[in-house]
Amino acid sequence: MDFEICRLFNIKYPIIQGAMARVSESSLASAVSEAGGLGVLASGIDSYGQVKSEIQKIKGATNKPFAVNIMLLSPHVEDIVRLVCEESVKIVFTGAGNPIKYMPIFKSLGIKVVPVVPSVALAKAMERAGADAIVAEGMEAGGHIGKLTTMALLPQAVDAVGIPVIGAGGVGDGRGMAACFMLGAKGVQIGTRFLLADECIAHDNYKGAVIKAKDIDTTITGQITGHPIRVLRNKLSKAFEDLEKEELRKPEPDLRRFDELGAGALKAAVIDGDIKNGSLMAGQISGLLSKRETCSQIINNIMCEFDSCLKKYSTQAGNKP
Ligand code: TUI
């Protein structure tokens, strides 16, 4: 099949690995790219030096295209923008904010820009600013989320812009991918399933918690801070809920207490494997995921399933395949 998004990124399969702070570092991103998808390095809140070294590791591991995701809430955002320009990174994704002020510099250097958006208004603004594609990410996703579901957001974003739209949030297999294509997506971004990849450095306890999770085992923390984060329920998410209730009773909630509670929690989960006190960011699709695989197996399995979904659909509908 000839996929528009594959031509845009020069990749084989229309599967983009979602950027997950601390989780999608060089090892995962390069393995996804080698397997024919688009590997994405998450810069998270990492410093210039840390991200530079990860970019160089990816360049050493694969000649295939890869992208860097710039997390716009990072205190190092200006440094990371400068870094991707210096390193001649060809594809930049952005998340957790509006990247409009950086678009002119990216465009002047021929860098392809793909903002992740939670709304139609932002999708339109990004197209006007020169984005090459957008990711419409629903609140089924793990980590920092918007308010709309993928089912509602994706077709509205597709109708609102002329650039390719990538569907994200709640996509874990070929059926989810086919559903996104039915809604008009030209590609999918998948995070949580890649967290389970053998090449992903996330601690095995974290992977085990995702595998064990059922459909209702994620929750949203930090709603009152304006930065809602979807995580697997654990002791930390309960502490966030309690703090939220406590602060909401006050005339002026102290939002710094949320930062204090969250500080270091992602590292605790990803590196130390502390599944009680760590921040286990994961999507609602966790309940569907049951095994550890290589990136190549993940991509091949999803593509096979996607293919059979389309074939099944065309025969069921009475159309010729
Ligand atoms: O960015 C994500 N997911 C993330 S980022 C992250 S790291 C983090 N750490 C601490 C606090 C917050 C984040 C973990 N997960 N997904 C893409 C995404 N972008 N979701 C929502 C948005 C978004 C929200 C508002 C994009 C643009 C936006 O614009 C607001 C505006 O200023 O117009």
Side-chain angles (χ1 to χ4, degrees):
M1 281 171 99
D2 178 36
F3 295 105
E4 185 182 345
I5 211 81
C6 292
R7 273 180 270 125
L8 179 66
F9 296 145
N10 194 23
I11 56 176
K12 192 164 174 199
Y13 304 114
I15 296 177
I16 290 101
Q17 162 249 309
M20 297 170 279
R22 278 196 175 265
V23 170
S24 21
E25 40 64 83
S26 54
S27 157
L28 179 61
S30 56
V32 171
S33 290
E34 270 297 292
L38 184 67
V40 185
L41 175 69
S43 55
I45 55 166
D46 296 345
S47 68
Y48 176 97
Q50 288 167 317
V51 182
K52 181 169 176 157
S53 135
E54 289 298 305
I55 291 175
Q56 284 168 350
K57 282 189 204 162
I58 298 178
K59 287 179 177 171
T62 182
N63 289 323
K64 304 243 167 74
F66 68 93
V68 174
N69 180 294
I70 304 180
M71 209 280 280
L72 295 165
L73 290 170
S74 165
H76 307 293
V77 59
E78 305 282 337
D79 285 347
I80 307 301
V81 167
R82 183 163 50 85
L83 173 64
V84 297
C85 296
E86 288 166 4
E87 287 289 323
S88 307
V89 171
K90 296 193 171 55
I91 310 165
V92 166
F93 282 58
T94 67
N98 184 337
I100 204 143
K101 74 187 245 215
Y102 308 112
M103 296 291 265
I105 175 81
F106 292 144
K107 292 284 90 192
S108 73
L109 294 169
I111 297 173
K112 296 198 168 96
V113 188
V114 189
V116 180
V117 302
S119 68
V120 167
L122 200 58
K124 285 182 175 168
M126 294 301 96
E127 178 176 49
R128 280 196 301 273
D132 296 277
I134 53 162
V135 178
E137 186 183 279
M139 53 83 85
E140 297 94 320
H144 180 45
I145 51 172
K147 291 194 169 69
L148 293 171
T149 60
T150 305
M151 182 71 110
L153 172 64
L154 180 53
Q156 296 187 69
V158 166
D159 284 355
V161 298
I163 51 178
V165 179
I166 296 158
V171 187
D173 64 11
R175 293 172 297 175
M177 179 174 173
C180 286
F181 275 68
M182 291 286 161
L183 297 173
K186 295 291 195 302
V188 287
Q189 179 189 277
I190 294 176
T192 313
R193 185 155 177 186
F194 282 114
L195 189 143
L196 300 180
D198 295 338
E199 297 91 338
C200 169
I201 55 106
H203 197 286
D204 203 55
N205 294 352
Y206 192 166
K207 295 182 183 180
V210 171
I211 288 173
K212 199 168 149 228
K214 295 189 295 294
D215 54 351
I216 56 168
D217 285 344
T218 70
T219 187
I220 305 171
T221 60
Q223 306 240 44
I224 66 165
T225 65
H227 298 135
I229 308 256
R230 182 178 300 285
V231 293
L232 294 182
R233 281 176 208 283
N234 63 359
K235 198 171 157 199
L236 177 70
S237 73
K238 178 75 174 62
F240 265 105
E241 271 164 31
D242 293 344
L243 182 60
E244 203 152 340
K245 281 187 201 135
E246 191 185 323
E247 290 300 322
L248 275 172
R249 280 198 290 269
K250 297 181 183 166
E252 280 197 41
D254 182 2
L255 299 183
R256 282 169 313 184
R257 294 185 67 196
F258 289 86
D259 291 341
E260 284 158 19
L261 188 59
L266 191 56
K267 176 185 168 288
V270 180
I271 310 297
D272 309 331
D274 184 347
I275 56 171
K276 287 199 179 111
N277 304 299
S279 173
L280 299 175
M281 296 188 194
Q284 286 187 326
I285 205 66
S286 294
L288 187 81
L289 307 176
S290 59
K291 54 179 184 285
R292 296 164 174 80
E293 295 163 295
T294 65
C295 289
S296 170
Q297 286 166 334
I298 292 174
I299 290 178
N300 290 335
N301 288 340
I302 291 174
M303 286 309 298
C304 280
E305 206 174 5
F306 172 70
D307 234 36
S308 57
C309 272
L310 295 191
K311 288 203 180 89
K312 197 161 116 190
Y313 167 77
S314 57
T315 40
Q316 271 175 5
N319 303 322
K320 283 212 167 10

